[in-house]
Amino acid sequence: MTFPKLTTSFLLAFSLLLTGCTKEKDPMDIAVTVNGGQNPYAVPFSSPDYLKAHARYLEEELFQIGDTPVWDYNTPNRGFGNVIMIEGDDGLIIVDTTTATAHASVAEKAFREISDKPVKAVIYTHHHADHISGAGAFINGEDAESGEVQVIAAENFLRELEDENQVTAPIMGVRALYMYGQLLDPVTDGRDYHISCCGYTLGSELSSYIPPNRFIHGSEALTIAGIRMELFQTGGESASHLAVWLPDYKVMLTGDEIQGPNYPNLHSLRGTKPRDAIKWVGAIDRMRAYDALHLVPSHGQPVAGREEIQGVLTIYRDAIQYTHDQSLRLINKGYTPDDLANAIALPSSMDRDPWTREMYGTVKHNVREFYVAYISWWNGDPAELDPLPRLEKARRLVELMGGRDRVLAEAEAAFEAKDDQWAAELTAYLVRIDREDMQARYLKAAALRRIGYNTANTNWRGFYLTSARELEGSVVPRNVLIGMQKKRFDPTQLDTGQLLNLLRFRVDAETADGKTVSVAYQLTDTDEAYTLHLRNSILDIQPVLAADADVTLRLDRALLDQLFLGEISYADAIGEDLLEVEGSKLKLRSFGQAFDRDPGHPYLSLR
């Protein structure tokens, strides 16, 4: 990534703080090959039969739920996630809106063939992007702001959205693209790929999320467009989770408490805050207590019939509880995360296709999260409290094993013997020591690729195969990150406090060391004020206009959004009389230089 050159102008220095845009081609559209050449370690494509068979649960289809006024569109536009419509007397209710406007628009068009009634409400079952990002296909922001359309979510929705979707958006976004196979070539290694819980593609354009204007505390009974419903907080798969019960039709909308047709991600490899398995089990138990005739998850196909629904809910919650309880039993015996992963497996009595098939979550990665959540990241061995840095450890081990050529020869022998995990682990040391060692990179890529081809779990498959491309140079995480931010970051979807809060995580501790500066923002159109205090290499943000701030900036919110996007510089904004600056310009320049503008190199395998 290239940035404009810094000059002595405090205006340019400060404008760079808020921008992450570049003029490079978008690497999400064009594969970037940095090393070129063909991997000499050939691995023929393959995919497990069950992977291909499992795709039947994600076929694009519009279901009417029995003879009720509820319709469920499964993976519209082969997207990621479902959209549900409830038709009331004088309007529609939309539950969840998938990952992108392009996908949601397909569902909207299909719904319009059923009813031309206006949308009265949108319900978000929780804050994850695949449930909130297509709202603009159904309503506009002005109607939500005025209250004409209700946008309903749990009381902790905005906090969880900020903590999980925004604060770690850069690295989580890259990892999600790997996990969901979005960087694979559909003609080669992406054949037969699907995201087992949810669909196929995420969508790459800006989302059309619209913030909620009504919040549910605990449980509330509502009537919207003549439709009676009970919304209740559950908090399992995500802390902001809601379920929706329609008593007149005995329909239960589960959101992701039933996380699609597979054993669930009790911890997501893309990166999430810890998920509360006990709340998750409790959520499903609460749903079991209702006399549901129809079960409608927000991923996958609906389930009909009391007996079938009770069977699905029971085996699903039992699989979660089993994984949790057995983890705690063995943790108390001294088992470490790796020990847990190798000791616990679902019993054959729990094999119910597809609901407990490890196509999305796996026992091996779920149980490790329980160790971290309950005990620590540390396994208890003091030798691992302050271990050697990874690079230094790799150097010493390779030397101990006889040097680079000896290790490579052993890795090649392991690869030839189809001992791919060992080949990948050995070559990882060589790649760590020398990222330009293309032979080691190619061999590790080939080992990961063959593991991936033999893996049915779609999360693991996505990571294996995309990491192979990273090692070969056709996926460059830094460029992916830049392209993703350009396509997906929309400051208008954040309130001012959330937007400014993102700056906290860009303070460069070394550059900011010793600096004490305060900058006040006064937004003239929204009557908001914030003062940002830089001290001790942290940014303290307060919702006040400090009278003693070193610098005060007066601007409207639209201009602040433009500055964050880099659509206008601070110099141009001042020159056009859009931005008023009062106070020390030298202090403002010092403030702007204290922030880290480098997106880094978020390698997953090339490290």
Side-chain angles (χ1 to χ4, degrees):
M1 176 177 180
T2 58
F3 289 94
K5 291 182 179 179
L6 290 173
T7 72
T8 56
S9 166
F10 79 96
L11 298 170
L12 180 55
F14 192 63
S15 68
L16 286 173
L17 134 73
L18 298 178
T19 64
C21 300
T22 117
K23 298 300 183 182
E24 295 176 1
K25 292 182 178 179
D26 190 336
M28 293 185 69
D29 294 330
I30 302 171
V32 179
T33 301
V34 296
N35 290 293
Q38 188 74 22
N39 191 330
Y41 301 99
V43 178
F45 176 83
S46 65
S47 58
D49 289 340
Y50 187 77
L51 173 70
K52 291 178 280 191
H54 185 273
R56 68 185 182 275
Y57 298 111
L58 303 173
E59 292 179 0
E60 185 175 358
E61 187 173 359
L62 178 62
F63 297 93
Q64 183 175 6
I65 306 304
D67 59 358
T68 76
V70 182
W71 281 263
D72 175 22
Y73 202 135
N74 193 28
T75 63
N77 196 37
R78 285 175 61 87
F80 188 104
N82 296 6
V83 182
I84 299 159
M85 180 186 77
I86 307 166
E87 184 179 19
D89 296 336
D90 60 349
L92 307 177
I93 304 160
I94 304 297
V95 180
D96 288 339
T97 64
T98 191
T99 57
T101 309
H103 301 321
S105 295
V106 171
E108 195 273 342
K109 181 178 180 181
F111 294 156
R112 284 304 171 205
E113 294 180 1
I114 298 168
S115 174
D116 61 359
K117 296 173 183 176
V119 174
K120 295 289 188 178
V122 171
I123 300 172
Y124 297 139
T125 61
H126 58 297
H127 68 273
H128 290 163
D130 51 314
H131 297 260
I132 67 175
S133 299
F138 303 98
I139 63 173
N140 62 61
E142 290 77 14
D143 288 342
E145 288 180 8
S146 69
E148 183 176 342
V149 176
Q150 296 184 63
V151 182
I152 302 170
E155 53 87 17
N156 58 344
F157 176 95
L158 292 177
R159 182 175 66 250
E160 295 299 325
L161 176 68
E162 181 175 4
D163 285 353
E164 198 170 66
N165 286 20
Q166 295 163 9
V167 169
T168 57
I171 187 61
M172 188 187 293
V174 172
R175 289 169 65 117
L177 292 175
Y178 276 56
M179 186 171 99
Y180 296 133
Q182 300 300 288
L183 303 174
L184 300 178
D185 181 354
V187 177
T188 56
D189 50 6
R191 282 178 287 168
D192 299 333
Y193 189 85
H194 64 274
I195 305 158
S196 66
C197 69
C198 315
Y200 293 88
T201 60
L202 302 184
S204 60
E205 74 276 9
L206 285 172
S207 78
S208 57
Y209 158 72
I210 294 172
N213 57 21
R214 180 167 184 174
F215 297 93
I216 303 299
H217 300 261
S219 176
E220 292 189 30
L222 305 178
T223 300
I224 300 174
I227 299 291
R228 295 195 308 133
M229 63 184 72
E230 180 188 350
L231 279 67
F232 55 94
Q233 290 185 264
T234 54
E237 193 267 354
S238 76
S240 68
H241 221 293
L242 288 174
V244 182
W245 170 244
L246 306 178
D248 294 334
Y249 307 104
K250 296 189 180 299
V251 174
M252 178 66 72
L253 309 182
T254 73
D256 277 4
E257 301 293 21
I258 299 298
Q259 199 184 46
N262 37 235
Y263 170 74
N265 255 343
L266 306 181
H267 168 70
S268 179
L269 295 175
R270 76 175 188 272
T272 59
K273 295 167 66 177
R275 291 173 171 172
D276 192 327
I278 300 304
K279 284 187 177 179
W280 203 332
V281 168
I284 298 176
D285 281 344
R286 184 166 181 178
M287 294 177 190
R288 290 169 70 205
Y290 289 85
D291 184 29
L293 295 178
H294 302 280
L295 194 74
V296 186
S298 287
H299 296 299
Q301 299 164 338
V303 182
R306 287 187 178 92
E307 184 176 349
E308 181 68 13
I309 288 169
Q310 286 297 320
V312 168
L313 292 174
T314 300
I315 196 66
Y316 209 77
R317 59 88 65 210
D318 285 357
I320 295 172
Q321 183 177 336
Y322 178 91
T323 309
H324 173 271
D325 292 359
Q326 291 305 305
S327 296
L328 270 293
R329 178 177 73 90
L330 296 182
I331 286 171
N332 283 322
K333 289 177 177 285
Y335 281 55
T336 67
D338 289 346
D339 295 333
L340 296 175
N342 291 309
I344 300 174
L346 293 177
S348 58
S349 61
M350 285 191 178
D351 183 15
R352 178 160 179 166
D353 185 13
W355 304 103
T356 60
R357 294 292 175 91
E358 294 177 79
M359 296 292 291
Y360 196 54
T362 73
V363 172
K364 283 186 179 293
H365 78 246
N366 284 339
V367 296
R368 288 182 169 97
E369 172 61 21
F370 291 135
Y371 191 95
V372 173
Y374 277 94
I375 301 298
S376 173
W377 57 267
W378 178 48
N379 65 17
D381 181 356
E384 298 187 26
L385 279 174
D386 188 18
L388 290 172
R390 286 161 51 92
L391 178 57
E392 178 62 20
K393 181 178 179 180
R395 286 173 177 157
R396 293 191 189 189
L397 287 175
V398 168
E399 181 180 357
L400 188 65
M401 288 186 284
R404 182 263 183 194
D405 292 345
R406 175 67 184 275
V407 173
L408 183 67
E410 290 294 330
E412 286 183 320
F415 180 73
E416 290 300 318
K418 296 188 177 180
D419 189 357
D420 296 308
Q421 181 62 37
W422 185 230
E425 291 186 25
L426 286 175
T427 49
Y429 292 124
L430 302 181
V431 171
R432 192 166 299 150
I433 292 169
D434 180 8
R435 288 181 180 160
E436 301 306 314
D437 187 340
M438 288 307 301
Q439 189 174 8
R441 285 171 58 169
Y442 281 140
L443 182 52
K444 182 180 179 183
L448 294 179
R449 180 167 284 121
R450 190 153 61 193
I451 295 171
Y453 284 162
N454 291 318
T455 300
N457 181 280
T458 59
N459 289 350
W460 287 32
R461 188 178 181 94
F463 273 114
Y464 281 127
L465 299 182
T466 310
S467 292
R469 292 171 66 82
E470 176 190 310
L471 287 157
E472 292 168 341
S474 61
V475 167
V476 182
R478 178 185 176 94
N479 292 348
V480 170
L481 173 59
I482 294 167
M484 177 184 63
Q485 290 177 325
K486 288 166 62 178
K487 280 195 171 184
R488 302 291 293 184
F489 178 63
D490 181 2
T492 65
Q493 296 179 348
L494 307 178
D495 65 40
T496 303
Q498 290 174 320
L499 187 62
L500 293 173
N501 195 56
L502 296 179
L503 296 178
R504 289 174 48 199
F505 315 110
R506 297 181 66 175
V507 174
D508 186 322
E510 294 181 359
T511 304
D513 186 33
K515 292 187 176 185
T516 302
V517 186
S518 58
V519 176
Y521 284 76
Q522 185 174 20
L523 299 185
T524 55
D525 58 333
T526 63
D527 197 28
E528 295 176 284
Y530 290 86
T531 301
L532 283 57
H533 301 274
L534 180 69
R535 64 174 185 275
N536 298 322
S537 294
I538 64 97
L539 192 65
D540 176 12
I541 302 175
Q542 298 295 329
V544 296
L545 185 67
D548 60 349
D550 296 306
V551 186
T552 298
L553 306 177
R554 294 186 178 88
L555 67 165
D556 63 26
R557 174 56 201 264
L559 178 59
L560 182 63
D561 293 339
Q562 289 180 290
L563 292 167
F564 258 86
L565 290 169
E567 294 176 350
I568 188 171
S569 71
Y570 273 71
D572 288 344
I574 292 173
E576 296 173 21
D577 295 325
L578 301 174
L579 174 64
E580 179 185 343
V581 179
E582 176 184 319
S584 170
K585 294 180 179 180
L586 288 176
K587 283 279 191 177
L588 182 57
R589 180 188 176 200
S590 177
F591 182 79
Q593 290 174 335
F595 292 84
D596 185 356
R597 296 175 292 277
D598 185 352
H601 295 274
Y603 295 120
L604 301 191
S605 285
L606 189 56
R607 62 185 179 91

